[in-house]
Amino acid sequence: MRLRASVVALITLALTLVALPAQAAGLTATFTKAADWGSGFEGRVTVTNGTAAPVSWNVQFDLPAGHTIPSAWDAVMVRSGQHYTFTPPSWAGQLAAGASASFGFNGSPGNFPGITGCTVNGASCGGGEPQPGVPGQPGAVSATSTTGAISLSWGTAGGTVTGYRVYEGSTLKATVTATSATISGLGACETHTYTVKAYNSVGESAGRDATATTAGCTTGPLPRHFLTGYWHNFVNPAVELKLSAVPAEYDLVAIAFGEATSTPGEVVFGVDQGLATAVGGYTDAQFKADVAALHQRGKKVILSVGGEAGRVQVASSAAATTFADSVHALMQSYGFDGVDIDLENGLNATYMAQALRSLRAKAGSGLIITMAPQTIDMQSTGAEYFKLALSIKDILTVVHTQFYNSGSMLGCDQNAAYSQGTVNFMVALACIQLENGLRPDQVALGLPAGPGAAGGGVVSPALVNQALDCLAKRTSCGSFVPPRAYPDIRGAMTWSINWDASHNWNFSKTVKPHLQGMP
């Protein structure tokens, strides 16, 4: 039987189509909701490389309004509003042809309807034509500084890379093809945070951050990383001590406390008679001699104003002047090197700033100014303590926030309430100050010296060291990792030297050697 020519042609075409190889699926990403418990959910994305070559992947999608992702694993997450970007972790190489890789995340709240707008390397997550893909994330960024410039260098990004862009916030500061850049024209003692991103015709990679401070800072007469302790001028269940018994581990001794009078702003001080009796006799003259002896040992001694029962009030220009005059007189009389602001019963940032600037004018550039706010006082730049710290940033030595007696609180990620007494709590809450205007050399961790020293938030000194490493190097962290390293983090404070004595000096003998070993 003979077939018509048109039928033959159709059969030939059909056979040809069957014989053609299947199109490559390309790069795909599949979302699944692994669990949902009402208050939260667990999601998982699997990236599959259906191309014939290794790729570096970049998955992006949006969440419905009201839903967030606080944490992820097996990927680096970057959030911008409801838009999320995920890239491979630093230890992962490119995804081999035919291979798959998964990452997961926890979100909230539950009853999650699913993600929208999913793309992988700029194409639909469902696959399609193979894309060159956005570059992988650059390697870790290192920064060195001089008086007027900060030089950055970083590891090569994976994938197809046209070049690198350096941002400060949303401002583009440099575009280079090499893996280094120098930002010049900066002032002395300026802290800058830069983000390095690789780019090509498809888009930009996730960024890598680095923070550095230009040279020229005046950090005062204290070590680069130092330990502060409070000395009790009163009697309580801790060990009573003369000032001469303070061990060498303490670099800065804060005398607790200067007290108020009926005159607004006035501060007075004298050796407490109950303490004098408890230590077998102690006069003002002996105390002054002990201050001088500490100076001979290279230590600094300041007067702390306030405390839990303190009632010093600086709420007017007249009170500010009185505060500066009275504290300066005590500095001259006792040999104090500065003042610590530890007001737990109300603070007026405007007038206290006036008082401290007046005191600085009297005492000179060597004046040490520290602050010991409660944790809640440093949650927002709108709080009076935070406002004070930022307004006197040019003359402020350090803020020793009391990371205790506070319960659980939000950290700088604003995504979780961290429990006091943990590395996460110390790091995430210190991060609020570090990311909102204070220099790293102006931030220190304040912790109790042991049981009895506080009602909550007592930690092992080894955890304090771990938190310092997490902040300085982003190592030894808990589940919270700060957005960048702060190698200039100043140190630690403890309440108190007396409680440290009650616990065989465990705090100072553990933390001080660690501070000395920090870069």
Side-chain angles (χ1 to χ4, degrees):
M1 181 179 67
R2 299 187 61 183
L3 296 176
R4 293 175 57 186
S6 59
V7 174
V8 173
L10 285 172
I11 293 173
T12 302
L13 177 59
L15 291 173
T16 302
L17 289 173
V18 170
L20 287 175
Q23 285 287 327
L27 193 63
T28 62
T30 304
F31 167 78
T32 56
K33 185 166 67 171
D36 195 317
W37 51 92
S39 61
F41 67 92
E42 178 185 337
R44 181 164 292 275
V45 172
T46 300
V47 181
T48 301
N49 183 8
T51 72
V55 296
S56 181
W57 52 265
N58 176 303
V59 173
Q60 302 187 34
F61 55 75
D62 297 305
L63 295 191
H67 289 271
T68 62
I69 297 176
S71 61
W73 56 92
D74 295 333
V76 176
M77 180 178 75
V78 177
R79 176 186 179 184
S80 178
Q82 294 302 106
H83 188 76
Y84 290 80
T85 300
F86 297 85
T87 51
S90 58
W91 44 262
Q94 289 188 306
L95 186 61
S100 296
S102 295
F103 62 89
F105 47 84
N106 286 329
S108 64
N111 301 313
F112 182 64
I115 64 176
T116 59
C118 183
T119 63
V120 56
N121 285 7
S124 169
C125 285
E129 290 299 316
Q131 303 288 320
V134 296
Q137 190 179 31
V141 184
S142 61
T144 58
S145 61
T146 61
T147 300
I150 294 176
S151 296
L152 307 169
S153 61
W154 55 88
T156 304
T160 302
V161 178
T162 301
Y164 299 90
R165 296 175 179 139
V166 180
Y167 294 91
E168 183 170 16
S170 60
T171 303
L172 180 63
K173 307 298 290 187
T175 300
V176 296
T177 55
T179 55
S180 62
T182 297
I183 312 300
S184 56
L186 307 176
C189 196
E190 291 184 357
T191 300
H192 296 265
T193 297
Y194 297 107
T195 302
V196 179
K197 297 181 179 182
Y199 74 93
N200 60 18
S201 59
V202 177
E204 288 184 334
S205 70
R208 290 278 193 189
D209 294 344
T211 298
T213 301
T214 55
C217 293
T218 302
T219 57
L222 289 162
R224 174 176 169 83
H225 305 291
F226 67 88
L227 179 63
T228 300
Y230 284 81
W231 176 85
H232 297 185
N233 185 40
F234 52 84
V235 174
N236 76 347
V239 173
E240 289 84 18
L241 302 168
K242 292 183 178 181
L243 197 58
S244 57
V246 174
E249 282 78 11
Y250 287 97
D251 303 293
L252 179 63
V253 179
I255 305 301
F257 293 97
E259 298 178 351
T261 71
S262 58
T263 302
E266 186 175 36
V267 180
V268 294
F269 177 79
V271 173
D272 179 77
Q273 290 307 301
L275 172 68
T277 301
V279 297
Y282 202 29
T283 66
D284 270 17
Q286 290 171 325
F287 176 86
K288 292 176 182 179
D290 285 346
V291 172
L294 284 174
H295 286 159
Q296 288 295 318
R297 290 161 50 190
K299 311 302 180 182
K300 297 298 176 182
V301 183
I302 60 177
L303 179 64
S304 182
V305 177
E308 182 181 1
R311 292 293 183 270
V312 175
Q313 294 290 324
V314 180
S316 68
S317 291
T321 298
T322 301
F323 180 94
D325 290 344
S326 60
V327 171
H328 186 243
L330 292 171
M331 290 176 62
Q332 292 180 308
S333 176
Y334 287 89
F336 298 134
D337 300 292
V339 65
D340 172 63
I341 306 303
D342 188 12
L343 301 179
E344 298 181 11
N345 296 282
L347 174 73
N348 184 302
T350 300
Y351 292 116
M352 182 54 77
Q354 177 186 329
L356 293 173
R357 290 195 179 278
S358 295
L359 181 59
R360 164 76 174 228
K362 293 173 179 293
S365 60
L367 176 71
I368 295 172
I369 299 176
T370 69
M371 295 165 51
Q374 299 173 98
T375 310
I376 190 67
D377 296 322
M378 300 301 286
Q379 280 277 288
S380 165
T381 55
E384 290 298 294
Y385 252 109
F386 215 141
K387 285 163 61 177
L388 173 62
L390 294 176
S391 70
I392 62 165
K393 180 179 174 180
D394 58 313
I395 61 172
L396 175 65
T397 305
V398 72
V399 176
H400 298 115
T401 302
Q402 302 174 39
F403 291 127
Y404 49 93
N405 292 342
S406 58
S408 298
M409 288 196 173
L410 290 172
C412 66
D413 56 351
Q414 293 291 295
N415 282 329
Y418 297 99
S419 300
Q420 64 178 344
T422 63
V423 171
N424 279 343
F425 185 88
M426 292 181 275
V427 174
L429 272 74
C431 172
I432 296 174
Q433 301 167 47
L434 293 160
E435 291 295 308
N436 285 279
L438 291 182
R439 301 193 310 266
D441 68 275
Q442 293 176 315
V443 177
L445 309 180
L447 283 309
V458 178
V459 299
S460 162
L463 291 187
V464 179
N465 292 346
Q466 190 175 330
L468 289 167
D469 282 346
C470 181
L471 288 163
K473 301 180 291 186
R474 301 180 85 205
T475 61
S476 303
C477 299
S479 60
F480 175 84
V481 180
R484 65 198 94 255
Y486 313 99
D488 294 328
I489 191 77
R490 203 64 196 273
M493 170 275 281
T494 191
W495 178 266
S496 61
I497 295 171
N498 301 71
W499 281 109
D500 194 20
S502 300
H503 297 288
N504 298 314
W505 307 109
N506 187 37
F507 193 96
S508 57
K509 290 187 180 300
T510 302
V511 176
K512 175 59 179 179
H514 191 80
L515 290 170
Q516 289 176 311
M518 291 175 65

